Amino acid sequence: MSMTEAETRQQIIDEKLRLAGWNVSDPSQVIQELDIVLKGGTPAAAEPNPSPYAGHRFADYALMNKGKPVAVVEAKKASKDAALGREQAVQYANNIQEIHGGPLPFISYTNGHDIYFQEPEFYPPIKVHGFPSQHDLEWLQLRRENRRPLSSELINTNIAGRDYQIAAIRSILEGIESKRRQFLLVMATGTGKTRTAAALMHVLMRA
C-alpha cells in the first residue's frame, strides 16, 4: 500500500529535517502549511462559491530564520516524482518574496526519498543527500550577498601566467556564470595542471 503525502511527510520528511537540525515542532524554526496570502488575490466574497482560502497558498514547509522564511520545501507522496513539486516550490518562493521582500527564499522539493535543492537566480536544481541546516542556509545567504561577477575578477598570473592556463581558467569562469556545474580540462604532463587549478580556486574564493 502506497503512502499518502501526509504519511510521507510525517514518517520520512519530518525525520530528515530533524537530521539536518530542524525542530519541526518549533514554529520559530519550521512552519508547516505556511499560509501565503497573495497580494491582489480575489476576495473570498467575490467567488461564485466563497471559500475562506481564496487568495491563499499553503507551502508544505517553510524553514525560518529570525522570523522570516528563508527556504520553502514542497512535499510529494513517496510514490510520485519529486520533480513534480518544483514549479509549486518556485511559485511559493516568489509569493513569499513579494510579501516579505528581501532575497528569494531557497527552494527544495522532495518525495521523501529524493531531495532537490535550488539556489534561486543562480544555480539550477541539484539532487542532494539531505536538507540544508540552518547554518548552511546562513552561509549560502552570506555567499549570495557577497558574490561578485567572475568576469570582473583578475587571474593571478604569478600562480598561472601562461596564455593557455589563463584561457582555460577564463573558460571555466564563463561557464560558471552561465550556470554550468561540470567542467573537464585536459592538460598534458608538465603544462601546469596544479598551478591552473590553484589559480582557479584563488579567483573563486575571492569572488
Side-chain angles (χ1 to χ4, degrees), residues 15 28 30-31 47 57 60 71-72 80 88-89 100 108 113 122 126 140 145 147 172 184 188 193 197 202 204:
E15 180 59 27
S28 71
V30 180
I31 295 180
E47 295 285 342
R57 297 290 183 271
D60 290 328
V72 293
K80 287 193 173 184
Q88 280 178 278
H100 294 278
S108 188
H113 303 298
F122 196 73
I126 57 168
L140 287 168
E145 291 171 355
R147 178 184 283 125
I172 291 180
L184 175 65
K193 294 185 294 293
H202 187 251
L204 294 177

Side-chain angles (χ1 to χ4, degrees), residues 144-156:
R144 181 158 64 174
E145 291 171 355
N146 291 281
R147 178 184 283 125
R148 298 196 301 269
L150 293 174
S151 58
S152 66
E153 291 295 318
L154 297 178
I155 297 168
N156 188 335

Side-chain angles (χ1 to χ4, degrees), residues 5-6 8-10 13-14 33 58-61 72-78 80-82 84-86 88-89 92 108-112 114 131:
E5 182 181 310
T8 301
R9 290 173 58 176
Q10 293 168 3
I13 300 174
D14 286 5
E33 300 296 337
F58 294 89
D60 290 328
Y61 299 87
V72 293
V73 180
E74 176 62 18
K76 294 298 177 187
K77 64 181 181 179
K80 287 193 173 184
D81 185 349
L84 294 173
R86 180 185 178 188
Q88 280 178 278
Y92 294 153
S108 188
Y109 46 93
T110 181
N111 60 6
D114 298 326
F131 291 105

Side-chain angles (χ1 to χ4, degrees), residues 27-82:
S28 71
Q29 294 188 32
V30 180
I31 295 180
Q32 300 193 44
E33 300 296 337
L34 175 70
D35 186 1
I36 305 169
V37 183
L38 303 181
K39 290 185 178 181
T42 305
E47 295 285 342
N49 298 304
S51 165
Y53 299 116
H56 293 243
R57 297 290 183 271
F58 294 89
D60 290 328
Y61 299 87
L63 307 183
M64 309 295 291
N65 186 18
K66 299 178 181 178
K68 288 189 175 183
V70 292
V72 293
V73 180
E74 176 62 18
K76 294 298 177 187
K77 64 181 181 179
S79 60
K80 287 193 173 184
D81 185 349

Side-chain angles (χ1 to χ4, degrees), residues 105-124:
F106 297 101
I107 293 165
S108 188
Y109 46 93
T110 181
N111 60 6
H113 303 298
D114 298 326
I115 302 172
Y116 291 85
F117 180 80
Q118 182 174 3
E119 184 179 351
E121 301 172 318
F122 196 73
Y123 288 120

